[in-house]
Amino acid sequence: DIQMTQSPSTLSASVGDRVTITCRASQSVSGWLAWYQQKPGNAPKLLISKVSSLESGVPSRFSGSGSGTDFTLTIYSLQPDDFAVYYCQQYNGNSRTFGQGTKVE
Amino acid sequence: EVQLLESGGGLVKPGGSLRLSCEASEFSLSSYSMNWVRQAPGKGLEWVSSISNTGTYIHYADSVKGRFTISRDNAKNLVYLQMNSLRAEDTALYYCARRYVTLGKGMDVWGQGTTVIVSS
């Protein structure tokens, strides 16, 4: 199975900062990479599909990039509502593995 | 409003069984691949199982293979997760989530989850 490794595990930032979270796959995921945001007590929310395709209603300050095995989620100008845990997920092949999560505090 | 509603969670002894259900409202499940994802207390997300829109393709995480069975009834707009031989490490909040494979999207609609506690 494909393993997903996110870094950092925790990230301290301030409103207005640019935040970058990385996600590395143990093998190519052929572009089938999504990012989710989860706030305490809530289900995850899909932000980005296919590496860089922003979901409808997601602010444009969120951006995804990467290819092959290395991917990045960037939040330009962090807002108070963005403090949460972020997960990457690959959906290539027979598994749908998540990264371990990055808490933005 | 498009929603998924899970049910069937509860307290069960190690070695026991539970069947979780996930009901879709305001959309037809038949167009979507469906997934179960769990989250142990204070931990991250773990994908458990997926089933294609027609039920032809089914996949499991290694941690549940041979113990859990996913199924669906498109006519009833329901997805199930039969969980047998439960272990303490299966304790988690179990979410169902849909994925529109045709557009290559991730899981865009999630339920609120149902809690499974495995304890003697």
Side-chain angles (χ1 to χ4, degrees):
Chain A
D1 284 357
I2 300 174
Q3 307 302 314
M4 307 299 289
T5 303
Q6 282 181 240
S7 61
S9 296
T10 305
L11 190 160
S12 295
S14 301
V15 171
D17 286 352
R18 184 172 75 179
V19 166
T20 300
I21 299 169
T22 62
C23 179
R24 174 164 287 175
S26 59
Q27 63 190 74
S28 174
V29 300
S30 302
W32 303 115
L33 190 285
W35 290 96
Y36 300 84
Q37 176 194 67
Q38 187 179 33
K39 296 180 180 179
N42 289 348
K45 173 187 175 182
L46 177 65
L47 299 176
I48 290 170
S49 297
K50 290 187 291 184
V51 180
S52 59
S53 180
L54 211 62
E55 276 295 290
S56 175
V58 174
S60 58
R61 63 180 179 272
F62 290 90
S63 176
S65 63
S67 64
T69 61
D70 294 309
F71 304 93
T72 299
L73 173 69
T74 302
I75 310 172
Y76 294 94
S77 190
L78 192 72
Q79 297 302 300
D81 191 47
D82 302 336
F83 292 94
V85 180
Y86 294 85
Y87 295 92
C88 62
Q89 183 208 22
Q90 67 81 21
Y91 47 105
N92 184 46
N94 296 339
S95 66
R96 311 283 183 262
T97 331
F98 289 90
Q100 79 275 21
T102 296
K103 183 178 183 180
V104 177
E105 61 180 24
Chain B
E1 181 185 355
V2 168
Q3 286 187 85
L4 291 168
L5 182 62
E6 303 93 337
S7 61
L11 174 63
V12 61
K13 289 182 168 54
S17 298
L18 275 178
R19 188 175 84 154
L20 306 184
S21 299
C22 171
E23 183 174 16
S25 66
E26 301 301 322
F27 74 97
S28 173
L29 276 184
S30 61
S31 298
Y32 296 88
S33 162
M34 295 301 296
N35 301 265
W36 288 96
V37 176
R38 68 185 181 184
Q39 189 166 34
K43 302 297 184 183
L45 302 172
E46 180 187 14
W47 169 77
V48 172
S49 182
S50 65
I51 184 168
S52 62
N53 62 326
T54 60
T56 302
Y57 302 103
I58 288 175
H59 306 295
Y60 299 98
D62 288 344
S63 58
V64 306
K65 204 171 292 184
R67 301 187 299 123
F68 289 13
T69 302
I70 192 171
S71 61
R72 63 192 297 157
D73 185 336
N74 286 344
K76 294 182 178 178
N77 240 14
L78 284 164
V79 178
Y80 305 100
L81 186 68
Q82 177 67 43
M83 304 187 297
N84 298 331
S85 303
L86 283 161
R87 306 166 179 167
E89 54 264 36
D90 296 318
T91 294
L93 181 63
Y94 284 73
Y95 294 104
C96 68
R98 77 176 193 184
R99 192 169 79 85
Y100 194 33
V101 176
T102 304
L103 294 181
K105 290 166 69 75
M107 299 174 189
D108 68 336
V109 175
W110 295 64
Q112 284 306 301
T114 186
T115 298
V116 172
I117 300 172
V118 183
S119 174
S120 55

mmCIF file with all atom_site columns, all heavy atoms in Angstrom, chain A residues 57-77:
data_model
loop_
_atom_site.group_PDB
_atom_site.id
_atom_site.type_symbol
_atom_site.label_atom_id
_atom_site.label_alt_id
_atom_site.label_comp_id
_atom_site.label_asym_id
_atom_site.label_entity_id
_atom_site.label_seq_id
_atom_site.pdbx_PDB_ins_code
_atom_site.Cartn_x
_atom_site.Cartn_y
_atom_site.Cartn_z
_atom_site.occupancy
_atom_site.B_iso_or_equiv
_atom_site.pdbx_formal_charge
_atom_site.auth_seq_id
_atom_site.auth_comp_id
_atom_site.auth_asym_id
_atom_site.auth_atom_id
_atom_site.pdbx_PDB_model_num
ATOM 1   N N   . GLY A 1 57 ? -16.449 26.909 -3.406  1.00 0.00 ? 57 GLY A N   1
ATOM 2   C CA  . GLY A 1 57 ? -16.675 27.540 -2.110  1.00 0.00 ? 57 GLY A CA  1
ATOM 3   C C   . GLY A 1 57 ? -15.435 27.644 -1.243  1.00 0.00 ? 57 GLY A C   1
ATOM 4   O O   . GLY A 1 57 ? -15.454 28.320 -0.213  1.00 0.00 ? 57 GLY A O   1
ATOM 5   N N   . VAL A 1 58 ? -14.358 26.997 -1.643  1.00 0.00 ? 58 VAL A N   1
ATOM 6   C CA  . VAL A 1 58 ? -13.111 27.070 -0.863  1.00 0.00 ? 58 VAL A CA  1
ATOM 7   C C   . VAL A 1 58 ? -12.368 28.350 -1.257  1.00 0.00 ? 58 VAL A C   1
ATOM 8   O O   . VAL A 1 58 ? -12.193 28.615 -2.447  1.00 0.00 ? 58 VAL A O   1
ATOM 9   C CB  . VAL A 1 58 ? -12.231 25.830 -1.116  1.00 0.00 ? 58 VAL A CB  1
ATOM 10  C CG1 . VAL A 1 58 ? -10.873 25.970 -0.425  1.00 0.00 ? 58 VAL A CG1 1
ATOM 11  C CG2 . VAL A 1 58 ? -12.951 24.577 -0.633  1.00 0.00 ? 58 VAL A CG2 1
ATOM 12  N N   . PRO A 1 59 ? -11.949 29.133 -0.273  1.00 0.00 ? 59 PRO A N   1
ATOM 13  C CA  . PRO A 1 59 ? -11.285 30.399 -0.589  1.00 0.00 ? 59 PRO A CA  1
ATOM 14  C C   . PRO A 1 59 ? -10.034 30.215 -1.439  1.00 0.00 ? 59 PRO A C   1
ATOM 15  O O   . PRO A 1 59 ? -9.310  29.226 -1.296  1.00 0.00 ? 59 PRO A O   1
ATOM 16  C CB  . PRO A 1 59 ? -10.924 30.956 0.789   1.00 0.00 ? 59 PRO A CB  1
ATOM 17  C CG  . PRO A 1 59 ? -11.875 30.313 1.722   1.00 0.00 ? 59 PRO A CG  1
ATOM 18  C CD  . PRO A 1 59 ? -12.126 28.948 1.173   1.00 0.00 ? 59 PRO A CD  1
ATOM 19  N N   . SER A 1 60 ? -9.786  31.183 -2.271  1.00 0.00 ? 60 SER A N   1
ATOM 20  C CA  . SER A 1 60 ? -8.664  31.088 -3.207  1.00 0.00 ? 60 SER A CA  1
ATOM 21  C C   . SER A 1 60 ? -7.306  31.223 -2.529  1.00 0.00 ? 60 SER A C   1
ATOM 22  O O   . SER A 1 60 ? -6.274  31.027 -3.173  1.00 0.00 ? 60 SER A O   1
ATOM 23  C CB  . SER A 1 60 ? -8.807  32.164 -4.291  1.00 0.00 ? 60 SER A CB  1
ATOM 24  O OG  . SER A 1 60 ? -8.858  33.442 -3.704  1.00 0.00 ? 60 SER A OG  1
ATOM 25  N N   . ARG A 1 61 ? -7.289  31.524 -1.231  1.00 0.00 ? 61 ARG A N   1
ATOM 26  C CA  . ARG A 1 61 ? -5.998  31.564 -0.521  1.00 0.00 ? 61 ARG A CA  1
ATOM 27  C C   . ARG A 1 61 ? -5.426  30.154 -0.326  1.00 0.00 ? 61 ARG A C   1
ATOM 28  O O   . ARG A 1 61 ? -4.264  29.999 0.021   1.00 0.00 ? 61 ARG A O   1
ATOM 29  C CB  . ARG A 1 61 ? -6.133  32.269 0.832   1.00 0.00 ? 61 ARG A CB  1
ATOM 30  C CG  . ARG A 1 61 ? -7.057  31.599 1.818   1.00 0.00 ? 61 ARG A CG  1
ATOM 31  C CD  . ARG A 1 61 ? -7.115  32.399 3.121   1.00 0.00 ? 61 ARG A CD  1
ATOM 32  N NE  . ARG A 1 61 ? -8.026  31.798 4.095   1.00 0.00 ? 61 ARG A NE  1
ATOM 33  C CZ  . ARG A 1 61 ? -9.317  32.068 4.160   1.00 0.00 ? 61 ARG A CZ  1
ATOM 34  N NH1 . ARG A 1 61 ? -9.849  32.952 3.302   1.00 0.00 ? 61 ARG A NH1 1
ATOM 35  N NH2 . ARG A 1 61 ? -10.084 31.479 5.068   1.00 0.00 ? 61 ARG A NH2 1
ATOM 36  N N   . PHE A 1 62 ? -6.255  29.128 -0.552  1.00 0.00 ? 62 PHE A N   1
ATOM 37  C CA  . PHE A 1 62 ? -5.780  27.753 -0.504  1.00 0.00 ? 62 PHE A CA  1
ATOM 38  C C   . PHE A 1 62 ? -5.298  27.347 -1.897  1.00 0.00 ? 62 PHE A C   1
ATOM 39  O O   . PHE A 1 62 ? -5.988  27.578 -2.897  1.00 0.00 ? 62 PHE A O   1
ATOM 40  C CB  . PHE A 1 62 ? -6.889  26.793 -0.057  1.00 0.00 ? 62 PHE A CB  1
ATOM 41  C CG  . PHE A 1 62 ? -7.274  26.934 1.382   1.00 0.00 ? 62 PHE A CG  1
ATOM 42  C CD1 . PHE A 1 62 ? -8.280  27.801 1.760   1.00 0.00 ? 62 PHE A CD1 1
ATOM 43  C CD2 . PHE A 1 62 ? -6.629  26.194 2.360   1.00 0.00 ? 62 PHE A CD2 1
ATOM 44  C CE1 . PHE A 1 62 ? -8.645  27.949 3.091   1.00 0.00 ? 62 PHE A CE1 1
ATOM 45  C CE2 . PHE A 1 62 ? -6.980  26.323 3.692   1.00 0.00 ? 62 PHE A CE2 1
ATOM 46  C CZ  . PHE A 1 62 ? -7.986  27.201 4.067   1.00 0.00 ? 62 PHE A CZ  1
ATOM 47  N N   . SER A 1 63 ? -4.128  26.702 -1.937  1.00 0.00 ? 63 SER A N   1
ATOM 48  C CA  . SER A 1 63 ? -3.576  26.289 -3.217  1.00 0.00 ? 63 SER A CA  1
ATOM 49  C C   . SER A 1 63 ? -2.825  24.977 -3.056  1.00 0.00 ? 63 SER A C   1
ATOM 50  O O   . SER A 1 63 ? -2.115  24.786 -2.062  1.00 0.00 ? 63 SER A O   1
ATOM 51  C CB  . SER A 1 63 ? -2.629  27.367 -3.749  1.00 0.00 ? 63 SER A CB  1
ATOM 52  O OG  . SER A 1 63 ? -2.014  26.959 -4.947  1.00 0.00 ? 63 SER A OG  1
ATOM 53  N N   . GLY A 1 64 ? -2.999  24.079 -4.019  1.00 0.00 ? 64 GLY A N   1
ATOM 54  C CA  . GLY A 1 64 ? -2.282  22.816 -4.009  1.00 0.00 ? 64 GLY A CA  1
ATOM 55  C C   . GLY A 1 64 ? -1.372  22.699 -5.213  1.00 0.00 ? 64 GLY A C   1
ATOM 56  O O   . GLY A 1 64 ? -1.682  23.196 -6.294  1.00 0.00 ? 64 GLY A O   1
ATOM 57  N N   . SER A 1 65 ? -0.246  22.034 -5.008  1.00 0.00 ? 65 SER A N   1
ATOM 58  C CA  . SER A 1 65 ? 0.687   21.832 -6.110  1.00 0.00 ? 65 SER A CA  1
ATOM 59  C C   . SER A 1 65 ? 1.464   20.547 -5.885  1.00 0.00 ? 65 SER A C   1
ATOM 60  O O   . SER A 1 65 ? 1.369   19.922 -4.828  1.00 0.00 ? 65 SER A O   1
ATOM 61  C CB  . SER A 1 65 ? 1.645   23.026 -6.218  1.00 0.00 ? 65 SER A CB  1
ATOM 62  O OG  . SER A 1 65 ? 2.440   23.130 -5.045  1.00 0.00 ? 65 SER A OG  1
ATOM 63  N N   . GLY A 1 66 ? 2.235   20.187 -6.897  1.00 0.00 ? 66 GLY A N   1
ATOM 64  C CA  . GLY A 1 66 ? 3.083   19.006 -6.788  1.00 0.00 ? 66 GLY A CA  1
ATOM 65  C C   . GLY A 1 66 ? 2.826   18.014 -7.899  1.00 0.00 ? 66 GLY A C   1
ATOM 66  O O   . GLY A 1 66 ? 1.952   18.191 -8.746  1.00 0.00 ? 66 GLY A O   1
ATOM 67  N N   . SER A 1 67 ? 3.616   16.951 -7.873  1.00 0.00 ? 67 SER A N   1
ATOM 68  C CA  . SER A 1 67 ? 3.460   15.876 -8.849  1.00 0.00 ? 67 SER A CA  1
ATOM 69  C C   . SER A 1 67 ? 4.221   14.657 -8.374  1.00 0.00 ? 67 SER A C   1
ATOM 70  O O   . SER A 1 67 ? 5.083   14.762 -7.484  1.00 0.00 ? 67 SER A O   1
ATOM 71  C CB  . SER A 1 67 ? 3.981   16.314 -10.224 1.00 0.00 ? 67 SER A CB  1
ATOM 72  O OG  . SER A 1 67 ? 5.368   16.559 -10.159 1.00 0.00 ? 67 SER A OG  1
ATOM 73  N N   . GLY A 1 68 ? 3.879   13.525 -8.970  1.00 0.00 ? 68 GLY A N   1
ATOM 74  C CA  . GLY A 1 68 ? 4.597   12.305 -8.642  1.00 0.00 ? 68 GLY A CA  1
ATOM 75  C C   . GLY A 1 68 ? 4.393   11.864 -7.214  1.00 0.00 ? 68 GLY A C   1
ATOM 76  O O   . GLY A 1 68 ? 3.362   11.284 -6.875  1.00 0.00 ? 68 GLY A O   1
ATOM 77  N N   . THR A 1 69 ? 5.366   12.166 -6.366  1.00 0.00 ? 69 THR A N   1
ATOM 78  C CA  . THR A 1 69 ? 5.297   11.750 -4.963  1.00 0.00 ? 69 THR A CA  1
ATOM 79  C C   . THR A 1 69 ? 5.319   12.923 -3.983  1.00 0.00 ? 69 THR A C   1
ATOM 80  O O   . THR A 1 69 ? 5.141   12.697 -2.781  1.00 0.00 ? 69 THR A O   1
ATOM 81  C CB  . THR A 1 69 ? 6.475   10.820 -4.623  1.00 0.00 ? 69 THR A CB  1
ATOM 82  O OG1 . THR A 1 69 ? 7.699   11.524 -4.820  1.00 0.00 ? 69 THR A OG1 1
ATOM 83  C CG2 . THR A 1 69 ? 6.460   9.555  -5.470  1.00 0.00 ? 69 THR A CG2 1
ATOM 84  N N   . ASP A 1 70 ? 5.545   14.131 -4.449  1.00 0.00 ? 70 ASP A N   1
ATOM 85  C CA  . ASP A 1 70 ? 5.710   15.270 -3.546  1.00 0.00 ? 70 ASP A CA  1
ATOM 86  C C   . ASP A 1 70 ? 4.678   16.354 -3.820  1.00 0.00 ? 70 ASP A C   1
ATOM 87  O O   . ASP A 1 70 ? 4.567   16.839 -4.955  1.00 0.00 ? 70 ASP A O   1
ATOM 88  C CB  . ASP A 1 70 ? 7.126   15.849 -3.685  1.00 0.00 ? 70 ASP A CB  1
ATOM 89  C CG  . ASP A 1 70 ? 8.181   14.879 -3.197  1.00 0.00 ? 70 ASP A CG  1
ATOM 90  O OD1 . ASP A 1 70 ? 8.033   14.383 -2.061  1.00 0.00 ? 70 ASP A OD1 1
ATOM 91  O OD2 . ASP A 1 70 ? 9.131   14.592 -3.936  1.00 0.00 ? 70 ASP A OD2 1
ATOM 92  N N   . PHE A 1 71 ? 3.960   16.727 -2.758  1.00 0.00 ? 71 PHE A N   1
ATOM 93  C CA  . PHE A 1 71 ? 2.837   17.651 -2.893  1.00 0.00 ? 71 PHE A CA  1
ATOM 94  C C   . PHE A 1 71 ? 2.867   18.696 -1.785  1.00 0.00 ? 71 PHE A C   1
ATOM 95  O O   . PHE A 1 71 ? 3.434   18.460 -0.705  1.00 0.00 ? 71 PHE A O   1
ATOM 96  C CB  . PHE A 1 71 ? 1.518   16.870 -2.853  1.00 0.00 ? 71 PHE A CB  1
ATOM 97  C CG  . PHE A 1 71 ? 1.455   15.804 -3.904  1.00 0.00 ? 71 PHE A CG  1
ATOM 98  C CD1 . PHE A 1 71 ? 1.862   14.507 -3.617  1.00 0.00 ? 71 PHE A CD1 1
ATOM 99  C CD2 . PHE A 1 71 ? 1.036   16.102 -5.190  1.00 0.00 ? 71 PHE A CD2 1
ATOM 100 C CE1 . PHE A 1 71 ? 1.842   13.523 -4.595  1.00 0.00 ? 71 PHE A CE1 1
ATOM 101 C CE2 . PHE A 1 71 ? 1.010   15.121 -6.167  1.00 0.00 ? 71 PHE A CE2 1
ATOM 102 C CZ  . PHE A 1 71 ? 1.423   13.830 -5.865  1.00 0.00 ? 71 PHE A CZ  1
ATOM 103 N N   . THR A 1 72 ? 2.236   19.817 -2.070  1.00 0.00 ? 72 THR A N   1
ATOM 104 C CA  . THR A 1 72 ? 2.232   20.931 -1.126  1.00 0.00 ? 72 THR A CA  1
ATOM 105 C C   . THR A 1 72 ? 0.849   21.564 -1.066  1.00 0.00 ? 72 THR A C   1
ATOM 106 O O   . THR A 1 72 ? 0.207   21.747 -2.104  1.00 0.00 ? 72 THR A O   1
ATOM 107 C CB  . THR A 1 72 ? 3.252   21.994 -1.564  1.00 0.00 ? 72 THR A CB  1
ATOM 108 O OG1 . THR A 1 72 ? 4.552   21.423 -1.581  1.00 0.00 ? 72 THR A OG1 1
ATOM 109 C CG2 . THR A 1 72 ? 3.229   23.181 -0.617  1.00 0.00 ? 72 THR A CG2 1
ATOM 110 N N   . LEU A 1 73 ? 0.431   21.872 0.156   1.00 0.00 ? 73 LEU A N   1
ATOM 111 C CA  . LEU A 1 73 ? -0.736  22.720 0.380   1.00 0.00 ? 73 LEU A CA  1
ATOM 112 C C   . LEU A 1 73 ? -0.225  24.051 0.916   1.00 0.00 ? 73 LEU A C   1
ATOM 113 O O   . LEU A 1 73 ? 0.510   24.073 1.910   1.00 0.00 ? 73 LEU A O   1
ATOM 114 C CB  . LEU A 1 73 ? -1.705  22.087 1.385   1.00 0.00 ? 73 LEU A CB  1
ATOM 115 C CG  . LEU A 1 73 ? -2.884  22.970 1.817   1.00 0.00 ? 73 LEU A CG  1
ATOM 116 C CD1 . LEU A 1 73 ? -3.861  23.163 0.662   1.00 0.00 ? 73 LEU A CD1 1
ATOM 117 C CD2 . LEU A 1 73 ? -3.605  22.375 3.024   1.00 0.00 ? 73 LEU A CD2 1
ATOM 118 N N   . THR A 1 74 ? -0.595  25.120 0.254   1.00 0.00 ? 74 THR A N   1
ATOM 119 C CA  . THR A 1 74 ? -0.205  26.459 0.693   1.00 0.00 ? 74 THR A CA  1
ATOM 120 C C   . THR A 1 74 ? -1.447  27.253 1.044   1.00 0.00 ? 74 THR A C   1
ATOM 121 O O   . THR A 1 74 ? -2.435  27.241 0.307   1.00 0.00 ? 74 THR A O   1
ATOM 122 C CB  . THR A 1 74 ? 0.589   27.191 -0.403  1.00 0.00 ? 74 THR A CB  1
ATOM 123 O OG1 . THR A 1 74 ? 1.750   26.416 -0.734  1.00 0.00 ? 74 THR A OG1 1
ATOM 124 C CG2 . THR A 1 74 ? 1.014   28.573 0.075   1.00 0.00 ? 74 THR A CG2 1
ATOM 125 N N   . ILE A 1 75 ? -1.383  27.902 2.183   1.00 0.00 ? 75 ILE A N   1
ATOM 126 C CA  . ILE A 1 75 ? -2.434  28.842 2.577   1.00 0.00 ? 75 ILE A CA  1
ATOM 127 C C   . ILE A 1 75 ? -1.799  30.228 2.557   1.00 0.00 ? 75 ILE A C   1
ATOM 128 O O   . ILE A 1 75 ? -0.891  30.516 3.346   1.00 0.00 ? 75 ILE A O   1
ATOM 129 C CB  . ILE A 1 75 ? -3.002  28.546 3.972   1.00 0.00 ? 75 ILE A CB  1
ATOM 130 C CG1 . ILE A 1 75 ? -3.397  27.074 4.116   1.00 0.00 ? 75 ILE A CG1 1
ATOM 131 C CG2 . ILE A 1 75 ? -4.219  29.446 4.240   1.00 0.00 ? 75 ILE A CG2 1
ATOM 132 C CD1 . ILE A 1 75 ? -3.796  26.674 5.531   1.00 0.00 ? 75 ILE A CD1 1
ATOM 133 N N   . TYR A 1 76 ? -2.221  31.043 1.617   1.00 0.00 ? 76 TYR A N   1
ATOM 134 C CA  . TYR A 1 76 ? -1.696  32.404 1.506   1.00 0.00 ? 76 TYR A CA  1
ATOM 135 C C   . TYR A 1 76 ? -2.499  33.298 2.443   1.00 0.00 ? 76 TYR A C   1
ATOM 136 O O   . TYR A 1 76 ? -3.707  33.314 2.389   1.00 0.00 ? 76 TYR A O   1
ATOM 137 C CB  . TYR A 1 76 ? -1.824  32.907 0.061   1.00 0.00 ? 76 TYR A CB  1
ATOM 138 C CG  . TYR A 1 76 ? -0.979  32.154 -0.917  1.00 0.00 ? 76 TYR A CG  1
ATOM 139 C CD1 . TYR A 1 76 ? -1.499  31.084 -1.643  1.00 0.00 ? 76 TYR A CD1 1
ATOM 140 C CD2 . TYR A 1 76 ? 0.360   32.488 -1.130  1.00 0.00 ? 76 TYR A CD2 1
ATOM 141 C CE1 . TYR A 1 76 ? -0.718  30.380 -2.543  1.00 0.00 ? 76 TYR A CE1 1
ATOM 142 C CE2 . TYR A 1 76 ? 1.153   31.790 -2.030  1.00 0.00 ? 76 TYR A CE2 1
ATOM 143 C CZ  . TYR A 1 76 ? 0.606   30.729 -2.719  1.00 0.00 ? 76 TYR A CZ  1
ATOM 144 O OH  . TYR A 1 76 ? 1.385   30.025 -3.610  1.00 0.00 ? 76 TYR A OH  1
ATOM 145 N N   . SER A 1 77 ? -1.820  34.007 3.303   1.00 0.00 ? 77 SER A N   1
ATOM 146 C CA  . SER A 1 77 ? -2.493  34.891 4.235   1.00 0.00 ? 77 SER A CA  1
ATOM 147 C C   . SER A 1 77 ? -3.498  34.152 5.123   1.00 0.00 ? 77 SER A C   1
ATOM 148 O O   . SER A 1 77 ? -4.724  34.225 4.935   1.00 0.00 ? 77 SER A O   1
ATOM 149 C CB  . SER A 1 77 ? -3.212  36.030 3.497   1.00 0.00 ? 77 SER A CB  1
ATOM 150 O OG  . SER A 1 77 ? -3.652  36.989 4.431   1.00 0.00 ? 77 SER A OG  1
#
